[in-house]
Amino acid sequence: MFGYLSRRVLATIPVMLLVALFVFSLLYIAPGDPAAIIAGDQATPEDVDRIRASLGLDRPFLVRFFEWLWHVLQGDLGTSIFTNLPVTHLIAQRVEPTLSLTLCTLIVSVALAVPLGVVAAARVGTWIDRCVMAFSVLGFSVPVFVLAYVLIITFSIELEWLPVQGYRPFREGAWEWLRHLILPSMALGTVYIALIARITRASMLDVLTHDYIRTAQAKGLSSNAVLTGHALKNAAVPIMTIIGIGIALLIGGAIVTETVFALPGIGRLTVDAILRRDYPVIQGVILMFSAIYVIINLAVDLSYMFFDPRIRY
Amino acid sequence: MSAISVSAAPKPVASTWQFVKDAFRRHPTAIVGAAVLILMALIAIFAPWLGTVDPQAVSPIKRLKPPSAAFWFGSDMLGRDVYSRVLYGTRVSLSIGVAVALFSTAVGLAIGLATGFIRWVDAIVMRIMDGLMSIPPVLLAIALMALTRASIGNVILAITLAEVPRVVRLVRSLVLTLREQPYVEAAVAAGTTLPRILVRHILPNTVAPLLVQATYVCASAMITEAILSFIGAGTPPNIPSWGNIMAESRSMIQIAPALLLFPGLFLSLTVLAVNLLGDGMRDALDPRLARRM
């Protein structure tokens, strides 16, 4: 068991190094002079030189990369060109809205999607199943910001039930905090729910054909006990995998959702950084999101040991 | 066998119609998807002749008009005709979707074939793909766009790079299974050269799954393009793409929600059509899986 654990943990190190190398070399891959592009159209040659020096573009690639990596390992993601503040500081300021949004969405989505998939599989071919599948195809097809505007127009502008935009910190009251997160979470969660429900249904249908399910039914277990105790636990590995992979959708979607609902989170920071071509910030955010993505998928991998003890090779 | 096929052979006159009817009965959603896509393609091609005006024509006195006989979808804050802009936007979304699907399939196929057959390439390339796949695709495309000047070509390039790793994964897994097949072993034993094995024995067997994958890539590329344009890092603002139209109308949501709804509706419909077509093709390829997915 410790062998598997340590192998999986160690395997993430080269992946993260590659991500770091890639994020760093983006500056060099891009066509044209990155310093000139970042400086913008109205920049003087001095501005361009200043940016080139501050990005270290005047020094050799590998020297610069290891220097940068050394700083990153010490928790220093560089300094924003636009605000002159440390990138880690900018990110820390904006963590709360993004964390609130993604955690709310994650919890609600998994709590809704897994039962939906299980019911669809248990009632395969009925109208319940058809509804879940139709919802799943629709969920894949309506982009997050389109859905977000439909929700705003319906629930905020027409019905006036929920706020149009904005964020309230948790310490100013849990109810206001939650009220501002309902629509963003619904918009962000739909595609995630669609994905998880679809895989849950497929995985359950696969498991339900096995002999041990018939045995469990034959010995008189209630269908609920068979579904949750026997089938769902055995169907869990693909479901956990897709929950982990789907985090990429949540991260990409959070950037858009924060823009639509004016949430002052890391997504908003990213969009502002893109518009100002504040490259150190973009680099830092991508590296951080990728690290989170890798760590979550590592945790998912390790969870397989719980759902399927055979995996402890 | 021959007796059955002779007696069941449809009359030549009715065959085309019969074929369409059969296809519709077996995969109704896929046919609806295909029909919507054909409609969208026709709109894209014939946009200038469908009662549209210049999508860039600014007319300050006709700002923010609600949908009417003159402005079918209303007019935006610069007095531009939203109907014309949305119709011309079809061109951008469809061409980016199709281009990304083609390029990423071609590149993914080439890399996937190489990794499946050449061991040292496999070791290096798959590590790079693992690294690329650890960056959420939308973020990867955003990062690439942040460093290049906005143009449709760069949008296609950025989204293609974000989509390629998944295609490589698929092709590689196909090749790894296919190369263990007896007929490939037989070809190797007979002294067939590697390029010939690839073209004659491997390639034909990857076409069907790749076609399905390509439709999903196309759907995902259209959404990513809209997201990039929406946050201001995609198609240049002077080209009316659905994402751009929605981005420009963002602040108008309380006054003129129709400005956002029409491009959103077109985008969702098109992506839905591509997804339905993809699901139908996947079911047709693997009927055993159809019940499950």
Side-chain angles (χ1 to χ4, degrees), chain A residues 3-305:
Chain A
Y4 176 69
L5 210 109
S6 52
R7 252 201 318 278
R8 283 296 300 127
V9 173
L10 286 176
T12 57
I13 294 173
V15 170
M16 272 322 291
L17 274 177
L18 258 159
V19 172
L21 179 66
F22 185 78
V23 168
F24 180 79
S25 54
L26 274 176
L27 262 178
Y28 295 82
I29 299 171
D33 179 1
I37 294 177
I38 289 170
D41 295 331
Q42 272 102 47
T44 59
E46 290 75 41
D47 287 341
V48 177
D49 284 341
R50 189 177 53 81
I51 287 171
R52 185 174 292 126
S54 81
L55 289 170
L57 286 168
D58 48 352
R59 276 173 297 149
F61 175 78
L62 277 180
V63 175
R64 203 31 223 132
F65 173 63
F66 284 110
E67 227 175 67
W68 176 78
L69 193 64
W70 181 240
H71 284 289
V72 169
L73 289 175
Q74 292 169 319
D76 172 14
L77 290 171
T79 310
S80 154
I81 296 174
F82 190 79
T83 58
N84 260 327
L85 289 167
V87 175
T88 43
H89 178 76
L90 289 173
I91 290 177
Q93 272 182 339
R94 308 265 194 142
V95 160
E96 196 198 304
T98 306
L99 205 62
S100 307
L101 172 65
T102 44
L103 275 184
C104 270
T105 311
L106 180 71
I107 294 167
V108 174
S109 301
V110 174
L112 279 176
V114 173
L116 273 180
V118 171
V119 171
R123 302 269 179 276
V124 63
T126 64
W127 64 271
I128 302 177
D129 182 32
R130 276 173 222 279
C131 284
V132 172
M133 290 313 281
F135 167 80
S136 156
V137 178
L138 272 176
F140 278 125
S141 306
V142 183
V144 49
F145 57 97
V146 177
L147 183 63
Y149 281 122
V150 172
L151 289 173
I152 291 181
I153 291 170
T154 320
F155 292 103
S156 304
I157 296 180
E158 295 297 326
L159 295 170
E160 296 182 8
W161 286 353
L162 291 162
V164 177
Q165 287 182 326
Y167 177 76
R168 295 283 174 281
F170 187 70
R171 61 170 188 281
E172 287 178 20
W175 170 238
E176 276 302 306
W177 170 77
L178 197 63
R179 250 166 61 84
H180 284 82
L181 283 177
I182 295 176
L183 289 186
S185 294
M186 277 166 75
L188 180 58
T190 299
V191 63
Y192 198 46
I193 295 176
L195 185 70
I196 300 173
R198 190 174 236 210
I199 299 293
T200 304
R201 176 180 174 276
S203 182
M204 284 292 284
L205 282 177
D206 189 40
V207 168
L208 285 175
T209 60
H210 282 285
D211 289 341
Y212 56 79
I213 299 295
R214 202 179 328 133
T215 309
Q217 284 164 343
K219 75 178 181 185
L221 280 184
S222 70
S223 60
N224 278 342
V226 174
L227 278 179
T228 52
H230 293 247
L232 187 57
K233 194 176 173 194
N234 281 291
V237 166
I239 301 172
M240 289 304 291
T241 310
I242 209 68
I243 290 175
I245 292 174
I247 296 286
L249 286 177
L250 283 192
I251 292 174
I255 295 175
V256 182
T257 312
E258 286 180 13
T259 308
V260 175
F261 290 96
L263 306 179
I266 299 172
R268 194 60 231 171
L269 177 72
T270 316
V271 174
D272 290 343
I274 292 166
L275 299 179
R276 295 166 183 163
R277 300 192 182 279
D278 195 342
Y279 205 69
V281 177
I282 301 175
Q283 240 174 6
V285 169
I286 292 174
L287 197 65
M288 184 204 63
F289 274 138
S290 305
I292 293 173
Y293 186 46
V294 169
I295 291 169
I296 290 177
N297 278 293
L298 172 68
V300 164
D301 268 15
L302 298 181
S303 80
Y304 297 163
M305 292 194 302

